[in-house]
Amino acid sequence: MLKNLTTSQVGGPADQLVVAGTEEELVSALATADAAGTPVLLIGGGSNLVINDRGFRGTAIQIATRGLQLETLDTNTVLLRVAAGENWDACVEYSLVEGLSGLEALSGIPGCAGATPVQNVGAYGADVSQHLAWARVYDRHLGTGLTLHREELEFSYRDSLIKRTSVAGSPRFVVLEVAFELTRTDDSAPIRYAELARRLGVAPGESAPAQLVRQQVLELRRSKGMVYEPKDVDSHSTGSFFTNPIVDVSVLERLPEGAPNYPVDTDGLVKLSAAWLIDQAGFSKGFGLEGTEGFSLAHGRASLSTKHTLAVTNRGSATAEDLLTVARAVRAGVQQRFGIELVNEPLLIDLTL
C-alpha cells in the first residue's frame, strides 16, 4: 500500500512499485514506463502527496538513491552534491557537521533532497533557491540527462520550472542530483524570519551560530507538529496543506486591521498568512475532532492539527477523502469569509480538492 510510503499515511496500492536504489535503476524504470505509455508516480519521502484510497493505476517509483559529496570551490565556498533520494534533514545536518552554512533554517523539513527544488522548498525566511547551484535531471521527453542551473529553474514562491512542467504529479524533468553552494563558517546565513530572530536574540538580518539556528528551527517545527514523528499524530500530514496567498495589495483593505502581510518582489503584491486566514475564518486548531463543530465532516478520523491550523492530519484511520473533506471545508470557509481562494500545496494524486 502506498500509504506506507507517505507521511499522511493514506493511499491504496499501485499496479507496480519499483524501488530505485541507483540512478541507473531510476532512469531505467522511467524509460520502461514511458515507452509503454504507463502513468508514473514518483515518491521520495512521501511528505507532499495525498494519494487516492483506490491507489494508483500505473507504476509508482520510489526514489531511494544515496550519495553526499563535497567539492571545494574556493577558500570559503564548498559545493555540496546530494543524490535525489537522500533524506533532506540528514543532508542539512551533514552540512553543519562539515562546518558549512546556508541550509540551517531549512532543518526538519520532511522529504528527500531531490524534491526540494521542485517547489522551491522554504521555511523561516529561507528557501532552496538561495543556495542551490544546479539540479541534474533526467528529461523524459528527450530521454537524456541535463543540468539545470539556478537561473534556468525560474524559481518563485513554492514554484519552479520543474513543477510547472509537471502533469498530474508526473514531471518531465526528474531530479537525479542537486548541488548547493555553501559557506565554510560556523555562522548562519542572515536570519530573515522575525519569530526565529526573537528566539535567537538577534535582529532580523543578523547571523547566529548555525548549529543553534538548526536547534531553534527544530524546536519551532516540533511545537507546530511540522517534524514527522511516528508517535505524534499531529505530524501525520503533508505539512502545510495550503500555500500563503499572494494577492494585490488592495485586498488588505477588506481584511481586518493588522492582518499579517509581507511584501514580495513584484510591485503591488503582498503575501498573506494562510494560517491566520484559516483561524480568523473560524477554523481553530483541532477542527474536525470529536466535540468540535466539524466533527461530522470526517468523523474525527481527520482534523486540522492541534498545533497548527495549516496541517490536515490523519488521526489514525483517515482516508484520503477524510483529509480532503476537512481541507474543502476550510477552503470554502476562507473563501466565504474573505473572498480569497486557498491553493493546496501537496500533490493530489487522482483526487480533486
Side-chain angles (χ1 to χ4, degrees), residues 193-226:
Y193 197 76
E195 181 183 11
L196 179 58
R198 286 195 298 270
R199 290 181 68 109
L200 291 164
V202 301
E206 294 182 349
S207 296
Q211 286 282 10
L212 180 60
V213 172
R214 171 174 169 77
Q215 176 186 331
Q216 291 297 319
V217 167
L218 288 173
E219 289 183 8
L220 274 169
R221 293 187 66 88
R222 285 195 180 95
S223 72
K224 299 174 181 179
M226 293 295 186

Side-chain angles (χ1 to χ4, degrees), residues 7-341:
T7 54
S8 60
Q9 299 181 357
V10 297
D15 290 343
Q16 181 182 20
L17 173 63
V18 177
V19 179
T22 67
E23 280 191 15
E24 291 75 17
E25 290 173 350
L26 174 55
V27 170
S28 175
L30 287 164
T32 299
D34 290 342
T38 303
V40 170
L41 171 61
L42 296 170
I43 302 177
S47 59
N48 202 44
L49 297 174
V50 180
I51 302 172
N52 196 303
D53 301 312
R54 295 189 298 274
F56 181 71
R57 303 284 69 82
T59 299
I61 303 175
Q62 184 181 17
I63 302 174
T65 55
R66 297 291 183 267
L68 292 160
Q69 182 180 350
L70 297 177
E71 294 181 5
T72 299
L73 300 181
D74 57 43
T75 304
N76 298 316
T77 310
V78 175
L79 192 72
L80 172 60
R81 299 177 57 171
V82 189
E86 284 284 352
N87 176 275
W88 172 249
D89 188 57
C91 168
V92 175
E93 183 177 30
Y94 173 82
S95 72
L96 293 173
V97 169
E98 291 295 324
L100 304 175
S101 167
L103 303 180
E104 54 279 345
L106 301 177
S107 295
I109 296 176
C112 292
T116 60
V118 177
Q119 64 170 29
N120 191 17
V121 165
Y124 299 109
D127 61 47
V128 165
S129 71
Q130 293 163 357
H131 294 281
L132 186 127
W134 48 258
R136 189 162 53 80
V137 303
Y138 173 68
D139 184 340
R140 294 167 64 189
H141 284 193
L142 300 179
T144 188
L146 71 155
T147 299
L148 297 174
H149 293 272
R150 179 188 300 153
E151 59 275 12
E152 297 174 291
L153 287 164
E154 301 175 6
F155 284 123
S156 59
Y157 173 65
R158 300 298 176 269
D159 197 18
S160 72
L161 172 70
I162 298 173
K163 183 176 180 179
R164 290 194 296 276
T165 54
S166 295
V167 179
S170 189
R172 169 181 174 176
F173 302 115
V174 177
V175 178
L176 304 175
E177 183 185 28
V178 288
F180 299 91
E181 287 187 12
L182 306 177
T183 304
R184 193 174 291 285
T185 176
D186 292 331
D187 292 330
S188 72
I191 304 301
R192 298 179 173 88
Y193 197 76
E195 181 183 11
L196 179 58
R198 286 195 298 270
R199 290 181 68 109
L200 291 164
V202 301
E206 294 182 349
S207 296
Q211 286 282 10
L212 180 60
V213 172
R214 171 174 169 77
Q215 176 186 331
Q216 291 297 319
V217 167
L218 288 173
E219 289 183 8
L220 274 169
R221 293 187 66 88
R222 285 195 180 95
S223 72
K224 299 174 181 179
M226 293 295 186
V227 174
Y228 182 77
E229 296 176 333
K231 294 183 179 180
D232 180 8
V233 293
D234 275 321
S235 73
H236 296 181
S237 71
T238 56
S240 298
F241 197 92
F242 297 106
T243 58
N244 291 320
I246 295 178
V247 300
D248 191 274
V249 68
S250 62
V251 171
L252 294 177
E253 297 175 4
R254 66 173 189 259
L255 297 181
E257 185 176 354
N261 66 93
Y262 313 92
V264 296
D265 293 337
T266 305
D267 290 340
L269 299 179
V270 293
K271 182 166 62 177
L272 305 178
S273 166
W276 184 89
L277 292 170
I278 291 168
D279 183 71
Q280 293 296 307
F283 301 95
S284 58
K285 298 171 186 176
F287 170 79
L289 292 176
E290 185 173 5
T292 71
E293 181 182 352
F295 171 65
S296 61
L297 291 174
H299 305 287
R301 295 186 296 260
S303 78
L304 294 185
S305 166
T306 65
K307 299 173 182 174
H308 200 294
T309 57
L310 261 183
V312 180
T313 65
N314 181 348
R315 310 312 291 185
S317 59
T319 63
E321 278 300 320
D322 288 333
L323 298 181
L324 293 189
T325 295
V326 174
R328 289 180 187 124
V330 169
R331 186 184 62 171
V334 170
Q335 174 74 45
Q336 182 178 13
R337 174 70 175 82
F338 298 113
I340 296 171
E341 183 174 2

